[in-house]
Amino acid sequence: MTEREAVAHLLRRATFGPTADEVDAAERAGFAATLDRLLDPGGADRGAAATPTPDLGPDPAAALDKAATREQRQQANRRRREQATALTDWWLARMVAAEHQCDEKLLFFWHGHWATSVQKVRSAPLMLRQLDTLRRLGRGPLAPLVDAMVRDPALILWLDGQQNTRRAPNENLARELMELFTLGIGGGYEETDVKEGARALTGWTVDRRTGAARFVPRRHDPGRKTILGRSAAFDAGSYAALLAGRPETARFVAGRLWFRYAGAQVPAPVDLAGPDTVGTLRRILTAPAFAQTRDTLVKQPVEWLVGAARQLGVRPSALPEAGRRRLLAGLNALDQVPLRPPSVGGWPAGTAWLTTSSLQARLRVADHLAAVADPAVLARLTAAPPAGRPEALARLLVVDRWSDRTRAALAPLAGQPRRLLVAGLVSPEYAVS
């Protein structure tokens, strides 16, 4: 790989999608300096500041009592949906605008890892609080993150933690905590560990009026539990600390990071886990095997759309409401809307995103993005002579090279810049990174 190809590969994976100017700057700085800047950007994020967190207000249903009418409940549910849409709009806009791209993409990773859906939680404010927790703790060591998440109100509601009492333990949260969030399948736990873990998590509820997670001592089982060979009067905090400190957890989370940032085609190297998440990311992005993963990782729909918007100069926050609705409708057709993972297992990966129906949906989204592209972007494309426009398009979309087949399909569109953009966005080369 040339230096430009190496930094382009790094930026495609560590961010939602680099612009040509960002690749130019990275090539001048070099791989090592670019990696340092990605992992420790420093300074204020002007793009994030330009997309301030929305003021969602309280949960509209929190003030309702048993005497509320059907109409009042319907109105509250309608307002809840509006809040969820506003939060999703904001996050998409921030993904596009953020200058600290590596941090924003890491947040999206953690959202998929601790997969929680607003459709069951039914509270955009609680989902925003969870995102804030993941953003605040997601770069650091695992222990504080796991500790915070076992008491996260949205996660408690999502996995029925509020139904977990000393008299009727609910194992859902404990099971997924071990299987999907920390140890992983085959991570050394047994069914008895799940049952004992559920006992440790008893007593936590969510106050819908305040949105706070609240510990109710009378609902908690204070007795001695044996988990993973350790016996103690475990509660939520000590149980989280036990799981976070296990070497299986460090290996599992590092493996999940490799899977999302490098893919499944090249086996993950051993000893990837660093002292914190940023340290693990550094090991992943500098591993010799990482360079071998180029052009093997299928972009998730959110990655595809956000990267395309960044490269075409489209700012979702500047679009009229109808334009923002089209973007969300496109993601819905592609089966990946932020805050709405299909299950606690998160979203699929790889060729699951490459279906006939998804191609049609991508065409519609690409057509919309091309229609609202920054005129300066189109000017760059049309500044090249018609015969050179496929190469100008490759540079714009940060595609290393077109296959002969793709080039042959692009060439007849050279005189129609917007159609050329659409064809590039739905090309096989742009679907992978």
Side-chain angles (χ1 to χ4, degrees):
M1 260 194 287
T2 65
E3 182 74 3
R4 185 176 184 83
E5 288 172 340
V7 296
H9 177 50
L10 170 65
L11 290 170
R12 281 191 294 260
R13 297 296 178 80
T15 76
F16 280 108
T19 65
D21 288 345
E22 288 169 343
V23 178
D24 288 344
E27 184 180 19
R28 290 191 298 268
F31 186 96
T34 299
L35 178 62
D36 289 343
R37 179 182 55 79
L38 286 168
L39 296 180
D40 187 14
D45 187 329
R46 293 170 299 178
T51 51
T53 306
D55 181 9
L56 297 172
D59 182 345
L64 298 181
D65 56 25
K66 293 182 179 180
T69 66
R70 178 182 178 185
E71 183 180 354
Q72 287 173 321
R73 295 188 184 280
Q74 288 176 336
Q75 185 176 12
N77 287 332
R78 183 164 54 251
R79 178 60 187 141
R80 275 178 162 178
R81 290 192 294 271
E82 291 171 353
Q83 286 181 331
T85 299
L87 184 60
T88 307
D89 277 347
W90 163 77
W91 195 15
L92 277 176
R94 177 159 173 155
M95 289 178 190
V96 174
E99 294 178 346
H100 297 176
Q101 275 284 298
C102 189
D103 287 350
E104 207 63 38
K105 189 167 182 180
L106 180 60
L107 176 60
F108 187 62
F109 164 80
W110 282 126
H111 173 51
H113 184 81
W114 297 90
T116 306
S117 175
V118 71
Q119 290 180 296
K120 180 175 178 180
V121 175
R122 301 177 68 194
S123 171
L126 292 188
M127 295 299 296
L128 176 58
R129 184 181 303 181
Q130 185 183 89
L131 291 180
D132 288 342
T133 297
L134 296 174
R135 188 186 298 279
R136 177 169 48 90
L137 300 174
R139 288 172 49 89
L142 292 174
L145 178 60
V146 177
D147 182 73
M149 290 304 290
V150 296
R151 286 177 276 238
D152 175 74
L155 192 71
I156 290 173
L157 291 172
W158 172 235
L159 293 177
D160 308 315
Q162 78 279 11
Q163 299 174 18
N164 187 18
T165 68
R166 62 187 300 175
R167 292 189 176 183
N170 185 299
E171 299 168 9
N172 202 13
L173 178 53
R175 184 177 306 280
E176 307 305 358
L177 183 61
M178 288 181 162
E179 179 177 314
L180 296 176
F181 305 151
T182 58
L183 300 171
I185 296 174
Y189 67 91
E190 298 179 356
E191 188 65 22
T192 54
D193 296 310
V194 173
K195 294 180 182 298
E196 294 288 86
R199 292 176 58 209
L201 294 175
T202 53
W204 285 93
T205 64
V206 177
D207 187 336
R208 281 285 192 178
R209 293 170 299 173
T210 64
R214 187 165 58 93
F215 181 69
V216 182
R218 62 182 173 79
R219 293 165 61 98
H220 176 63
D221 182 344
R224 196 170 185 82
K225 301 105 180 166
T226 300
I227 306 174
L228 301 173
R230 292 271 305 277
S231 295
F234 284 106
D235 59 11
S238 53
Y239 177 43
L242 174 67
L243 295 181
R246 297 282 293 195
E248 295 91 343
T249 296
R251 286 195 295 269
F252 174 70
V253 174
R256 296 305 298 172
L257 283 161
W258 177 267
F259 179 72
R260 287 300 185 184
Y261 281 82
Q265 300 299 313
V266 178
V270 296
D271 298 327
L272 271 183
D276 53 27
T277 301
V278 169
T280 300
L281 271 181
R282 181 177 291 276
R283 293 184 184 185
I284 289 171
L285 299 172
T286 57
F290 177 72
Q292 301 169 20
T293 69
R294 185 170 59 143
D295 299 333
T296 64
L297 184 61
V298 177
K299 295 175 183 176
Q300 298 179 74
V302 167
E303 295 171 335
W304 174 82
L305 185 148
V306 173
R310 298 189 78 242
Q311 290 158 349
L312 271 59
V314 177
R315 292 292 180 262
S317 58
L319 296 176
E321 183 178 356
R324 297 196 302 274
R325 294 290 75 75
R326 287 187 67 177
L327 291 182
L328 280 185
L331 286 177
N332 189 52
L334 289 166
D335 292 326
Q336 189 177 47
V337 178
L339 309 182
R340 287 168 49 187
S343 72
V344 69
W347 285 285
T351 56
W353 298 121
L354 302 179
T355 64
T356 302
S357 61
S358 72
L359 176 59
Q360 295 301 315
R362 283 176 194 254
L363 274 167
R364 291 191 295 272
V365 176
D367 186 68
H368 177 51
L369 290 172
V372 296
D374 187 337
V377 171
L378 283 173
R380 285 189 179 190
L381 197 56
T382 55
R389 286 178 187 170
E391 290 310 314
L393 179 66
R395 173 180 167 78
L396 174 69
L397 300 182
V398 192
V399 171
D400 289 337
R401 62 188 63 82
W402 301 119
S403 68
D404 291 342
R405 183 176 180 179
T406 299
R407 186 183 301 277
L410 295 174
L413 303 175
Q416 305 170 72
R418 293 190 189 278
R419 289 190 63 193
L420 185 62
L421 278 177
V422 173
L425 291 175
V426 298
S427 67
E429 290 82 357
Y430 194 73
V432 298
S433 68

